[in-house]
Amino acid sequence: MLRHIAAQAKGRALACALALSLALSCSAAPAAFADVRKADIVYGQTVDARGLSVAQCPSIDAEYAVVMDAEGTVYFERNASSPTQIASITKIMTGLVALDAVDAGLVSLDTPVTVSAEAAAVGESSAGLQAGDVMDLGTALTALLVPSGNDAAVAIAETVGAALLAAGAASGDTAQDAFVAQMNATAAELGCTDSVYENPHGLDFDAYAGNLHSTASDVAKVVRRAMQNETFRAAVSQGDTVIEVERGGAPASISLETTDGFFDIYEHAIGVKTGFTALAGASFAGAANNGGKELYAIVINSSSEAQRFQDAMTLCEWVYEHEVSYPLANSTQTASMNGRDVPVVAEVAHTGWIDKTVKATLSDPDAAATIFDLNGNVSQSLEFDEVSGNVHAGDKVGTITFKQRNAVIATMDLVACEDVAAPDFLEGVGVWWDRLWRGFSGQSQTAESVTLNQTPLVVDKTASAS
């Protein structure tokens, strides 16, 4: 009997230990469903085609994702061109269309926005606006982007849409229809390939069900454009805030709580917009800036609201980790120039002589290019000028071009790092006779230009850990 009781106690203890272990492992691993897929695209090629290891790739949970920089370079894609619902990420386009109307002079940030009964009744995520509330457009944009206010979205669409209709800039049966038409027109202008907007807030169920959708790639284009507007950047960079509206003829304060948890987990976070519906899943269009590069990470249909921010941070950190500084001058030979030693990257033939060359360096011997190390090795090509006459240190003697995967990453002048005098009269006569005899024997008439610069292999720091 005692043995039976002891066995039961031992079993209960093991079960408790197992449950505790499972609970701890779940709490410590928010990215439980994150993975790397062979079809994920890194800098234009699949993970499989590049032969990348799991350690070299971002492990994320989102079903649709892309990360792009402010210049439009795309570093990573997962199903980025596949259509999907984007929920309240739609509001980025809403804000952009409104701000474009400001830039066009159709409205101003001071234009009054009155909340209609329809706007106040939209429901779901809300800024807490009431029918009859009045605020300026700048305040309405804050109510749109900070708490993801569906009420603010409709109020903005009605106000700006009316201005678009009055100016003949967009058409529609109602002001809101005209605004949505402009959302789609702007998407087309930005080169979006598979985006359809049907309302200004992104709700996609019940009365709002339809064909509204976009892609991660298209969203990145919209974010990139929106983040060029300082008013938009300021709005999405806010945390919790308070706005003032006119309610019933008297001022009223409304506290707004941000939906953007990116700021809570990432030191480089600078915005932008969350989204969630049952069809879109937990989604986020995020922006980050580490002081050197700005990135836009779009993640759609993550497994949880917390995971979407983790996915966005993973993508941004992965890009930052693989951005490396690549010195362009790599030569073991040096020469003294202007009181300092510089690398000699080439010896350029001096056509005035038979056997003399001019030592050359880069116009900026310390130059480096920032490259993405997973994109492959660097190559170089040199074009030498026809050098004759007196050459002085600093004179241009050629051009050097550096490429990574056939894309130019730097072009720079080659400059002489020494003085080389042309032959004087008697030396010139000697060179003439020497060349005459060399012509009979088929020997070279001038020295050969020589490339001394090397392009070291790009070694990924994580490859050895894979």
Side-chain angles (χ1 to χ4, degrees):
M1 181 67 177
L2 289 175
R3 184 180 301 170
H4 177 67
I5 293 173
Q8 286 183 322
K10 182 178 180 181
R12 285 194 296 270
L14 286 172
C16 289
L18 180 60
L20 178 61
S21 174
L22 181 61
L24 289 173
S25 66
C26 289
S27 63
F33 301 104
D35 63 355
V36 174
R37 304 177 188 177
K38 291 183 177 181
D40 288 344
I41 297 175
V42 171
Y43 219 89
Q45 286 188 302
T46 65
V47 167
D48 192 36
R50 285 188 179 274
L52 298 177
S53 67
V54 169
Q56 292 171 302
C57 305
S59 180
I60 61 169
D61 172 69
E63 187 62 27
Y64 311 89
V66 68
V67 59
M68 169 193 289
D69 68 16
E71 284 69 49
T73 301
V74 177
Y75 294 89
F76 177 87
E77 301 168 81
R78 173 180 291 177
N79 298 323
S81 298
S82 299
T84 181
Q85 283 74 23
I86 61 170
S88 285
I89 289 176
T90 296
K91 295 185 176 81
I92 300 171
M93 179 62 87
T94 303
L96 176 58
V97 169
L99 289 168
D100 279 351
V102 171
D103 291 341
L106 301 180
V107 292
S108 74
L109 292 175
D110 295 325
T111 294
V113 174
T114 301
V115 180
S116 67
E118 178 182 350
V122 175
E124 299 299 325
S125 60
S126 170
L129 303 177
Q130 296 179 12
D133 285 353
V134 181
M135 71 210 82
D136 59 49
L137 179 57
T139 300
L141 287 168
T142 296
L144 171 80
L145 296 168
V146 173
S148 195
N150 294 334
D151 42 9
V154 173
I156 290 170
E158 291 174 339
T159 300
V160 177
L164 291 169
L165 278 175
S171 59
D173 293 337
T174 66
Q176 192 172 164
D177 289 342
F179 188 89
V180 172
Q182 187 58 42
M183 293 172 74
N184 287 299
T186 300
E189 291 170 6
L190 294 178
C192 296
T193 59
D194 200 351
S195 292
V196 174
Y197 295 95
E198 294 185 346
N199 60 56
H201 41 67
L203 293 178
D204 54 22
F205 53 88
D206 294 339
Y208 302 107
N211 188 39
L212 64 169
H213 65 268
S214 188
T215 69
S217 179
D218 284 358
V219 170
K221 295 172 185 175
V222 177
V223 171
R224 181 184 174 218
R225 165 69 185 284
M227 289 296 283
Q228 294 171 8
N229 186 290
E230 290 302 322
T231 301
F232 183 91
R233 291 177 72 92
V236 298
S237 68
Q238 300 180 79
D240 297 346
T241 189
V242 176
I243 60 171
E244 300 292 328
V245 303
E246 181 183 310
R247 177 173 292 170
S253 298
I254 303 176
S255 296
L256 303 178
E257 183 175 341
T258 183
T259 60
D260 191 346
F262 203 32
F263 294 105
D264 297 331
I265 68 167
Y266 195 32
E267 61 179 331
H268 301 313
I270 57 173
V272 180
K273 188 71 196 69
T274 57
F276 178 83
T277 64
L279 291 176
S283 305
F284 180 57
N289 193 312
N290 69 348
K293 179 179 284 292
E294 185 157 303
L295 296 173
Y296 310 126
I298 316 305
V299 290
I300 302 172
N301 197 10
S302 288
S303 58
S304 70
E305 294 190 4
Q307 184 62 43
R308 60 186 172 179
F309 302 125
Q310 182 66 45
D311 281 349
M313 183 175 72
T314 295
L315 288 174
C316 292
E317 279 298 288
W318 172 76
V319 174
Y320 290 143
E321 177 184 352
H322 288 283
E323 288 267 305
V324 298
S325 180
Y326 187 89
L328 299 179
N330 297 281
S331 174
T332 58
Q333 294 193 32
T334 61
S336 180
M337 178 182 179
N338 299 326
R340 58 167 292 194
D341 286 340
V342 296
V344 179
V345 301
E347 293 177 349
V348 183
H350 190 300
T351 60
W353 297 93
I354 289 174
D355 56 356
K356 286 191 178 182
T357 58
V358 179
K359 292 179 180 178
T361 189
L362 303 184
S363 56
D364 179 2
D366 300 318
T370 299
I371 64 171
F372 188 65
D373 64 6
L374 296 182
N375 194 36
N377 292 315
V378 173
S379 62
Q380 65 182 359
S381 60
L382 287 79
E383 294 182 5
F384 302 112
D385 294 345
E386 185 173 333
V387 178
S388 60
N390 293 321
V391 177
H392 302 286
D395 288 350
K396 180 180 178 297
V397 294
T399 305
I400 186 168
T401 300
F402 297 90
K403 294 182 178 181
Q404 186 185 30
R405 291 258 179 177
N406 297 319
V408 175
I409 58 172
T411 298
M412 193 165 296
D413 287 345
L414 297 175
V415 298
C417 50
E418 62 177 346
D419 294 340
V420 177
D424 60 24
F425 177 75
L426 290 178
E427 289 170 329
V429 173
V431 169
W432 184 86
W433 277 109
D434 197 355
R435 282 181 174 157
L436 181 64
W437 291 110
R438 283 173 174 267
F440 290 132
S441 60
Q443 297 180 61
S444 176
Q445 302 283 313
T446 59
E448 293 289 329
S449 295
V450 179
T451 298
L452 301 176
N453 200 50
Q454 302 294 316
T455 51
L457 296 179
V458 178
V459 179
D460 170 47
K461 54 195 166 190
T462 66
S464 59
S466 60

